[in-house]
Amino acid sequence: MYVQPADAPQRKPVTVPGLRAMKARGEKIAVLTCYDASFAAQMESVGMDVALVGDSLGMVVQGQSSTLPVTLDDMVYHTRLAARGLAATLLIADLPFMQYRDPATALSASTRLMAEGGAAMVKLEGGAPWVCEVIAALVEREVPVCAHLGLTPQSVHKLGGYRMQGKTEEAAARLRGHAHAVTEAGAELLVLESMPAALAGEITRDLPIPTIGIGAGADCDGQVLVCYDMLGITPGHRPKFSKDFLAGRGSVREAFAAYVEDVRAGRFPGPEQIAR
Ligand code: KIV
């Protein structure tokens, strides 16, 4: 069970409707991925708004070459661990590959992530009509949904690699259409990954729901990074849009605190992290 450090800020829990209120007030939303109770407790203690148990854990925790082998059991396990470190930070968990292929599968997987894992919201990738049908079915049954567009890692084989999306006018138009479609289906939050900053900014201004960018410029309503990337401990190459927040600082907690401050002040991402 999480015990707040004596110097931890007392704050109200971050809620799903509260995210939309943050957008309305122009407050940036700070999000990091999180896979266990110790990291979760550090995030909680610096006032992180959202912790995301991403299926990126397949790559950064399990050492696999993609997110595809991550199972629902893996996700439930790590979500439960992260939940034990949190109090006011909102917890979101990814639905893994093929666990939302139809509404019934998505409902039973979401039940596990929320009831066993303690997630307050589930995330799924894509904006095609069948995904919107799944989103609508979840939302109708009181499961809050975060959508994810742009570079959707579960589609890595179809996309041909981890590449920026939405670079042609046709691809950008498709992403704009998907952003509106997931919103109309009932998504309450939208991750925009690896797309031109101007496109992400335009989608952010057009939608009533908050957008959370990763490699999508500075104009999203919030930012997310893979926590191991922003601590500089991901083996191999760190994405250009990420930043090592541990460099020059004495602890993981200080790195998380600096990230929250920089996101809230609009200092992250800076010009060095934004692809042109
Ligand atoms: O799986 C994950 O960590 C994610 C974030 C990078 C957005 O989906």
Side-chain angles (χ1 to χ4, degrees):
M1 188 64 186
Y2 175 67
V3 179
Q4 293 236 3
D7 62 344
Q10 294 300 312
R11 60 194 176 116
K12 283 200 209 145
V14 178
T15 62
V16 172
L19 294 173
R20 212 189 264 236
M22 287 176 79
K23 176 177 177 121
R25 291 194 297 266
E27 287 170 21
K28 295 276 186 188
I29 302 167
V31 186
L32 282 179
T33 67
C34 181
Y35 316 106
D36 70 32
S38 295
F39 277 84
Q42 299 291 311
M43 291 182 197
E44 178 67 45
S45 75
V46 301
M48 192 74 62
D49 298 306
V50 177
L52 167 67
V53 185
D55 60 358
S56 52
L57 69 85
M59 299 171 84
V60 299
V61 177
Q62 298 174 340
Q64 316 216 58
S65 59
S66 79
T67 59
L68 273 59
V70 175
T71 66
L72 182 58
D73 282 344
D74 293 336
M75 290 304 303
V76 172
Y77 174 73
H78 285 279
T79 304
R80 199 188 302 130
L81 301 190
R84 289 188 194 134
L86 300 179
T89 299
L90 185 84
L91 182 61
I92 304 180
D94 268 350
L95 283 162
F97 183 58
M98 284 301 147
Q99 292 297 330
Y100 52 97
R101 59 184 178 268
D102 54 53
T105 307
L107 277 163
S108 84
S110 303
T111 303
R112 292 201 57 203
L113 291 172
M114 294 178 77
E116 292 176 45
M121 183 178 233
V122 300
K123 178 164 82 59
L124 46 71
E125 298 181 6
W130 71 267
V131 180
C132 293
E133 193 191 325
V134 168
I135 294 173
L138 291 172
V139 170
E140 200 185 350
R141 288 161 183 84
E142 317 299 344
V143 176
V145 174
C146 173
H148 181 158
L149 297 174
L151 171 53
T152 45
Q154 292 175 12
S155 308
V156 59
H157 297 303
K158 187 172 173 207
L159 298 175
Y162 297 101
R163 300 202 175 91
M164 182 178 264
Q165 302 297 305
K167 283 166 67 175
T168 64
E169 191 37 55
E170 190 189 350
R174 192 166 48 246
L175 283 176
R176 277 188 214 103
H178 283 179
H180 284 280
V182 296
T183 306
E184 273 152 35
E188 291 282 357
L189 191 65
L190 174 59
V191 168
L192 298 175
E193 177 164 357
S194 289
M195 68 176 65
L199 175 61
E202 188 193 326
I203 291 173
T204 299
R205 285 186 293 279
D206 279 357
L207 296 186
I209 63 169
T211 63
I212 306 294
I214 173 163
D219 293 334
C220 294
D221 298 306
Q223 296 292 326
V224 58
L225 286 177
V226 170
C227 74
Y228 291 10
D229 287 351
M230 60 79 77
L231 294 173
I233 57 170
T234 307
H237 148 94
R238 186 180 71 240
K240 285 202 190 75
F241 56 73
S242 192
K243 177 180 169 181
D244 184 349
F245 279 88
L246 188 55
R249 297 194 172 88
S251 69
V252 167
R253 186 170 186 269
E254 282 176 38
F256 288 170
Y259 172 74
V260 170
E261 272 175 37
D262 281 5
V263 169
R264 291 205 176 129
R267 284 191 297 266
F268 179 82
E272 335 62 269
Q273 286 94 32
I274 299 177
R276 308 260 152 225

